[in-house]
Amino acid sequence: MTPILTDLSIVEVAAFIAAPLGGLTLSQLGADVIRIDPIGGNIDFTRWPLNDEGHSIYWAGLNKGKRSVALDLRSPEGQEIAAAICTRAGEGRGIVTTNLPARGWMAYEALAARRDDLVMVTLIGNPDGSGALDYTVNCASGFPDVTGPGGAPVNHVLPAWDVAAGLTISTAVLAAERYRSRTGKGQKVTLSLADVMHATVSNLGFTMEVEANGTVRQPIGNDLYGAYGRDFSTRDGRRVMIVAISNRQFRAVGEATGLADKLAMIGALMDVDLSDEGGRFAARHAISAVLEPWVAARTLAEIREAFEGTGVLWGPYQDFGQLFAEDRWHSEANPMFGRAEHHGIGSLRTPGTPLAFGAVPRGEPGASPRLGSSTEEVLAEDLGLPSTEIARLKDKGVVSL
């Protein structure tokens, strides 16, 4: 972990992607993140994919570097312990993140009554508090209707809105904590998953285009909207994406392939300006017709050699196995990656934070914990409970060690 946020401690009461990813982002920057789960794990504890022993690789990936506390959250004693952890005294503490219903002991008002400068970041579904998931938000976003060749909506497998919301949660924590450090005041911050989608769709111009121009974006397959870019099949059955957004990149494609003269003829034949992104988009089918035979005659390795160092913007299509085995940036040659021992799964290639800070070194990536592995430590060191009381709570089934 990169030691930037070592003075912060966040308590996470969450499940699935968005809030755990927010906590993971902060943990990878050195924050102490305590995840509180019910005994036996929350609803995401056995989420696929699983290894042969039934341990969730998904859960391990999202909870690296965190301390795990397992409590009987239905019992008054378990709720009291959880609330005490959330509201521990000390600078940099008193920060809670959740995407679960924040009511009862976990309501902001209840926790703020124990610590008046509490910061609580809560992720909800729709702005009115009704439920929503990434999958229900995404289908309404318009993106499935412009993904693919058209004819039917295409659900991509990337939980984009959960990812964006998770990163926004980490931003919210840092912004609210900075406000607290200036004013001494805590606050509740509410983030709607649907609002993350609506803001993004508008920020990228998709719905602003509707209002400004009266047009709705249409599907164009793997072509790049408003510029030149398309996928091609290689001689050895792989596929590559070639993109030219700038004039320099378009010239580089012509020079690297030896097709510069043929590509230059397209402008005059079609009466378009190939020095303009819009012109290249209008002529995309003709440009692709020139490039397609060149790519089809070569293997992926030959294309890589031809494009190396030329300034051509390109990339190979890869499945997850090819990404793991072939991509040099998805290996320990990339300083972001190292190895970590994940409970129940073993030693795996594991990423730390994508951020590289000049003032502090990149630490080793965090490992995923055993559920409840830090319960005793947090109760003893953070809450000051004696070992006899911890033993009593364990025997009563209030805590799991």
Side-chain angles (χ1 to χ4, degrees):
M1 293 177 282
T2 301
I4 284 285
L5 300 178
T6 53
D7 58 338
L8 289 186
S9 182
I10 295 96
V11 179
E12 175 187 294
V13 189
F16 292 115
I17 298 175
L21 178 62
L24 173 64
T25 301
L26 297 166
S27 173
Q28 289 179 324
L29 294 174
D32 171 33
V33 178
I34 300 172
R35 172 162 170 158
I36 297 179
D37 282 293
I39 293 173
N42 216 318
I43 53 177
D44 60 338
F45 186 57
T46 56
R47 182 79 185 273
W48 287 13
L50 309 175
N51 71 352
D52 292 340
E53 287 73 41
H55 294 280
S56 173
I57 300 169
Y58 165 98
W59 192 89
L62 285 169
N63 292 290
K64 301 184 293 288
K66 300 176 185 177
R67 293 199 285 169
S68 173
V69 171
L71 305 171
D72 177 8
L73 293 173
R74 295 184 178 181
S75 70
E77 281 189 291
Q79 294 173 1
E80 169 61 26
I81 292 170
I85 294 171
C86 291
T87 58
R88 295 165 299 156
E91 189 175 355
R93 295 179 170 185
I95 304 171
V96 180
T97 62
T98 186
N99 60 350
L100 301 177
R103 52 178 176 255
W105 72 268
M106 204 170 70
Y108 170 75
E109 293 76 15
L111 294 176
R114 303 172 65 120
R115 177 167 178 159
D116 62 7
D117 68 344
L118 182 87
V119 168
M120 187 171 188
V121 179
T122 302
L123 178 70
I124 61 174
N126 291 308
D128 64 358
S130 58
L133 296 172
D134 185 283
Y135 312 100
T136 61
V137 166
N138 187 61
C139 69
S141 70
F143 285 110
D145 285 272
V146 296
T147 300
V154 176
N155 285 334
H156 55 74
V157 299
L158 172 68
W161 310 118
D162 276 341
V163 171
L167 298 176
T168 305
I169 286 170
S170 64
T171 302
V173 167
L174 297 178
E177 201 283 327
R178 181 167 173 79
Y179 179 84
R180 185 175 70 174
S181 70
R182 294 200 313 267
T183 68
K185 296 179 180 180
Q187 62 184 300
K188 180 181 179 180
V189 183
T190 303
L191 172 68
S192 160
L193 183 67
D195 276 351
V196 172
M197 178 273 283
H198 289 293
T200 302
V201 172
S202 181
N203 291 339
L204 295 179
F206 289 97
T207 52
M208 293 176 70
E209 178 184 15
V210 174
E211 184 173 12
N213 297 338
T215 58
V216 176
R217 187 77 55 89
Q218 297 299 306
I220 55 173
N222 285 342
D223 286 340
L224 178 64
Y225 177 77
Y228 181 75
R230 213 203 80 177
D231 63 313
F232 297 91
S233 180
T234 69
R235 181 161 61 85
D236 53 350
R238 297 292 295 270
R239 296 193 78 81
V240 299
M241 184 77 182
I242 299 176
V243 175
I245 296 177
S246 69
N247 292 333
R248 180 185 59 79
Q249 292 164 359
F250 189 64
R251 288 195 300 270
V253 170
E255 292 167 2
T257 59
L259 298 171
D261 292 341
K262 290 184 178 180
L263 291 172
M265 294 172 61
I266 294 172
L269 289 172
M270 295 188 65
D271 193 25
V272 296
D273 183 2
L274 293 184
S275 66
D276 176 75
E277 279 187 289
R280 291 191 290 269
F281 180 73
R284 65 191 184 280
H285 298 305
I287 295 171
S288 296
V290 172
L291 293 177
E292 192 166 23
W294 185 91
V295 177
R298 289 163 174 79
T299 65
L300 176 61
E302 290 169 339
I303 292 168
R304 190 185 305 277
E305 182 178 359
F307 286 166
E308 187 73 28
T310 63
V312 174
L313 203 60
W314 79 286
Y317 282 78
Q318 303 173 143
D319 62 29
F320 295 129
Q322 291 163 338
L323 172 66
F324 181 83
E326 300 175 9
D327 196 314
R328 61 174 174 162
W329 301 125
H330 200 85
S331 74
E332 291 175 60
N334 183 340
M336 180 179 72
F337 280 96
R339 298 201 71 82
E341 189 73 28
H342 300 281
H343 174 74
I345 300 174
S347 176
L348 298 178
R349 185 187 304 168
T350 304
T353 177
L355 296 169
F357 292 89
V360 296
R362 236 182 192 144
E364 293 298 317
S368 59
R370 173 181 60 81
L371 184 70
S373 59
S374 295
T375 303
E376 184 172 10
E377 175 187 54
V378 171
L379 267 56
E381 297 181 6
D382 292 69
L383 299 187
L385 297 185
S387 58
T388 52
E389 175 63 6
I390 295 173
R392 184 191 71 82
L393 292 167
K394 179 180 181 299
D395 292 342
K396 193 176 178 181
V398 175
V399 305
S400 175
L401 309 182

